[in-house]
Amino acid sequence: MDQLTNDKDPKQDTVNLLIIAISTAIVLVFVKRTFWVADDFVYMQILSKSDLSWNLLTQSYNQHVVPLFIFSWWFVYKISNGNYIYAEIIMTAGYIYLCISFLSLIKLFHLTSRQTHFLLIMFCTSLLIIHNFLWWAAFLSFLLPIILIINFTKHSIKFKESHKKIDFALGLIFYIASTLYFEKMAIYSIFILIFVLFYDNYNLNYKK
């Protein structure tokens, strides 16, 4: 019978890192074939005429208030000067961090190593994830909030188990950041908190 995942098992860690490395190589194929498109040019036009200000960060964009999204766009636009290589580097680093964050989350469920490997592969190679590497605006508006909300969920679970102040603080930081990237994350987080409240690390059947 497959053993439960052991965080300190070097063999399992190697397999997990290999999965992430192969998945990253797949994503790089997509990233290297992309460039500024669609929404990217819309935001470039807005930012080319604007300095960083409170009004810029808090104005409505397509009926959404997304200050961190705008700040990230402004920052990359200013340092890149239209060179897409900066976006490629950030998206690749973001993807690696996304996979590592997801791995650290599912490890909290004490799954077997096979289950962990399977879920990691399914997540990292999901078309829903990879599709959003086709252009920079999609990465910022979809994948970065997912990174933040995954880490919010992880630290919420860890705080419920350990009551460590660091987990509470990090959970709060990731919650605020995800909401500032996309305000609807505040609503989604309510469902996550409900899950965490009813979550029992050792009595919850993973099949449920």
Side-chain angles (χ1 to χ4, degrees), residues 31-88:
V31 170
K32 292 300 292 183
R33 296 181 180 181
T34 61
F35 42 86
W36 306 116
V37 293
D39 298 0
D40 296 339
F41 292 110
V42 174
Y43 288 108
M44 278 183 178
Q45 186 177 20
I46 294 171
L47 296 173
S48 65
K49 303 174 182 178
S50 306
D51 293 323
L52 187 64
S53 65
W54 180 251
N55 288 334
L56 176 68
L57 296 176
T58 56
Q59 66 177 290
S60 174
Y61 294 91
N62 298 321
Q63 287 72 54
H64 294 291
V65 179
V66 285
L68 267 186
F69 172 84
I70 296 302
F71 174 77
S72 299
W73 233 124
W74 176 87
F75 178 75
V76 170
Y77 176 77
K78 294 301 180 183
I79 66 171
S80 69
N81 196 28
N83 190 343
Y84 196 71
I85 186 65
Y86 291 90
E88 291 178 346

Side-chain angles (χ1 to χ4, degrees), residues 30 122-134 142:
F30 286 87
M122 291 297 291
F123 180 82
C124 293
T125 61
S126 167
L127 290 179
L128 186 64
I129 298 297
I130 295 178
H131 168 75
N132 287 279
F133 285 91
L134 297 181
F142 183 76

Side-chain angles (χ1 to χ4, degrees), residues 90-199:
I90 294 173
M91 287 194 292
T92 303
Y95 176 80
I96 295 171
Y97 184 53
L98 172 64
C99 294
I100 292 173
S101 298
F102 181 76
L103 174 61
S104 64
L105 173 62
I106 60 178
K107 279 187 174 183
L108 295 177
F109 291 87
H110 294 279
L111 305 173
T112 65
S113 57
R114 289 181 181 178
Q115 291 163 355
T116 300
H117 300 333
F118 175 76
L119 287 176
L120 185 61
I121 291 171
M122 291 297 291
F123 180 82
C124 293
T125 61
S126 167
L127 290 179
L128 186 64
I129 298 297
I130 295 178
H131 168 75
N132 287 279
F133 285 91
L134 297 181
W135 71 92
W136 171 246
F139 170 80
L140 269 189
S141 61
F142 183 76
L143 290 185
L144 266 182
I146 285 183
I147 292 173
L148 295 169
I149 212 70
I150 284 176
N151 282 282
F152 163 69
T153 307
K154 177 185 71 176
H155 288 290
S156 296
I157 292 174
K158 291 178 71 174
F159 175 70
K160 186 192 175 187
E161 294 179 345
S162 65
H163 298 287
K164 291 182 178 179
K165 293 181 180 179
I166 184 65
D167 287 314
F168 177 81
L170 288 173
L172 183 62
I173 290 171
F174 281 115
Y175 168 76
I176 294 173
S178 65
T179 303
L180 292 177
Y181 256 104
F182 185 44
E183 76 277 5
K184 289 184 179 179
M185 285 296 177
I187 301 173
Y188 302 153
S189 299
I190 293 173
F191 295 98
I192 293 172
L193 285 173
I194 292 172
F195 166 77
V196 171
L197 287 174
F198 289 98
Y199 168 78

